[in-house]
Amino acid sequence: MAEKLLLVDVDCGVDDAQAIMMALAQPTVQILGITCCHGNTAIDNVCKNVLRVLKLCNESKIPVYRGAASSFLGENVGMADYHGSDGLGGVPDPEAPALDCIQEEHAVTAMIRIVSEHIGKVSLVATGPLTNLALAVKMDPTFPQKLKGLYIMGGNMESRGNTSVCGEFNFSVDPEAAYIVLNEYSCPTYIATWEYTCRHKLSWEFYNDLVNQDTAKAKFMKKISAHSLKFSQSEQGIKELVSGSGFVPCDSFAMAAAVDNSIVKEYIECGVSVELSGKLCRGMMIMDYLDLLQKKHKAFVMKTCDIEKFKTLLRTALK
């Protein structure tokens, strides 16, 4: 059995695909299952996209489960076209696996079962809205205690938004789910926020070298990234970043930390929560630096990254 056991929950857009490929490329990592959630695109597209990535990587044996199709309150913050009409750049593959390859078991019950079969050994990596995770803890309050750790891409450190004024996309899509997870998960929790990913943006020169490797995986990534690349280099795309233009593979930062914990050089340890009220701040992650919330469980919010190690993981993913 591999050294690191992962369960991966995704809303499979381009950056989720990249994160999945990163984990699959590591011989010390075994993905026990991939659960799908609404977010970057509709749930059926998410499922199809995961199957497509697994086929490309010759890993179709990994089970894929269909999960939540909408947020707790059913609100629609807008499935942004950033990842294209289907979540993978709007460049479908007519030979991609069909939805009948999805497991019959629901994603949430699969999560509970898989983790219960490997108590204390599985790390859960969540790169989309946290709806499935919130449902899991409501169905089984002991679920978080059975995890080795939780790695989240989402939230923000300084109220910088990319979907609303103060809200990061994954948390803004389902604020109630994010609130439940940050307040009810007692396992070690590691968070790659929007600002963390932006502050470790990579150069476009690196991106070009990455996707121009002469491999099927690199060609696939270049093809599905073309749509979002145009927005990333636009005036609005640059405005959303913390400082200046660059390549920001958001979800891969959370996955990298789960794959190799030495990637993150520095954390901020403090209580965190999510704002559920207000016109401007709904969905914003709260960092309780003053410990006024008196939370026993503190999260580890990523602060600095070993960028060279991170680049190596990205390159290996596309070889």
Side-chain angles (χ1 to χ4, degrees):
M1 187 173 287
E3 180 181 332
K4 294 178 182 287
L5 301 181
L6 300 185
L7 181 60
V8 185
D9 188 77
V10 301
D11 62 336
C12 197
V14 174
D15 53 346
D16 303 77
Q18 191 169 55
I20 292 169
M21 293 166 72
M22 174 182 284
L24 293 175
Q26 296 302 309
T28 60
V29 172
Q30 180 183 357
I31 296 179
L32 299 177
I34 300 179
T35 52
C36 300
C37 182
H38 68 98
N40 285 322
T41 186
I43 188 64
D44 282 351
N45 287 337
V46 174
C47 294
K48 291 176 184 176
N49 294 347
V50 172
L51 293 172
R52 188 175 168 189
V53 172
L54 293 179
K55 179 186 176 184
L56 172 73
C57 297
N58 297 313
E59 294 285 0
S60 295
K61 64 182 182 296
I62 295 174
V64 180
Y65 305 89
R66 189 182 195 274
S70 65
S71 67
F72 268 59
L73 300 186
E75 295 178 345
N76 184 5
V77 301
M79 289 183 181
D81 188 43
Y82 178 77
H83 292 277
S85 58
D86 62 354
L88 284 189
V91 284
D93 177 3
E95 298 182 2
L99 282 174
D100 56 11
C101 296
I102 298 295
Q103 302 293 310
E104 291 185 6
E105 185 179 12
H106 191 276
V108 177
T109 55
M111 293 169 79
I112 295 170
R113 175 183 56 79
I114 291 170
V115 171
S116 296
E117 291 171 350
H118 305 86
I119 294 176
K121 297 180 180 178
V122 178
S123 292
L124 174 54
V125 183
T127 60
L130 300 177
T131 313
N132 286 337
L133 279 71
L135 290 170
V137 72
K138 289 305 182 184
M139 289 180 65
D140 179 4
T142 69
F143 177 71
Q145 302 165 27
K146 299 173 184 176
L147 287 168
K148 180 178 181 180
L150 170 61
Y151 295 81
I152 297 171
M153 191 282 127
N156 43 20
M157 302 162 67
E158 301 165 359
S159 73
R160 294 176 183 268
N162 61 10
T163 299
S164 63
V165 175
C166 297
E168 178 275 332
F169 178 80
N170 285 340
F171 280 25
S172 294
V173 166
D174 197 343
E176 280 68 28
Y179 180 92
I180 289 168
V181 171
L182 294 191
N183 284 282
E184 297 188 24
Y185 272 61
S186 55
C187 58
T189 302
Y190 309 89
I191 304 174
T193 64
W194 171 240
E195 292 95 337
Y196 172 78
T197 65
C198 288
R199 289 212 166 89
H200 294 91
K201 66 175 66 70
L202 304 169
S203 69
W204 290 118
E205 289 78 12
F206 172 81
Y207 170 82
N208 288 330
D209 288 342
L210 180 70
V211 299
N212 285 312
Q213 298 180 80
D214 189 20
T215 67
K217 294 176 184 178
K219 291 173 182 176
F220 171 76
M221 186 55 60
K222 184 176 182 178
K223 184 177 180 180
I224 66 173
S225 299
H227 178 86
S228 53
L229 184 66
K230 292 178 182 178
F231 178 80
S232 297
Q233 296 180 329
S234 70
E235 182 177 347
Q236 180 60 34
I238 294 171
K239 187 183 297 184
E240 288 185 4
L241 298 179
V242 173
S243 58
S245 179
F247 172 49
V248 185
C250 296
D251 294 340
S252 291
F253 283 99
M255 183 63 76
V259 167
D260 180 358
N261 55 18
S262 71
I263 289 283
V264 184
K265 298 193 294 185
E266 188 179 7
Y267 291 96
I268 299 169
E269 185 177 0
C270 70
V272 293
S273 190
V274 177
E275 176 58 50
L276 297 181
S277 304
K279 181 178 179 180
L280 299 178
C281 296
R282 177 168 161 76
M284 181 176 75
M285 190 172 89
I286 306 302
M287 295 186 62
D288 184 21
Y289 291 106
L290 301 180
D291 201 26
L292 297 180
L293 299 178
Q294 295 290 297
K295 297 187 71 171
K296 293 181 180 179
H297 175 61
K298 308 292 197 257
F300 298 93
V301 181
M302 301 178 200
K303 185 177 180 181
T304 57
C305 171
D306 187 324
I307 204 67
E308 292 307 316
K309 285 186 177 180
F310 182 64
K311 287 180 179 179
T312 298
L313 288 179
L314 288 173
R315 291 191 189 97
T316 302
L318 301 188
K319 287 184 178 178

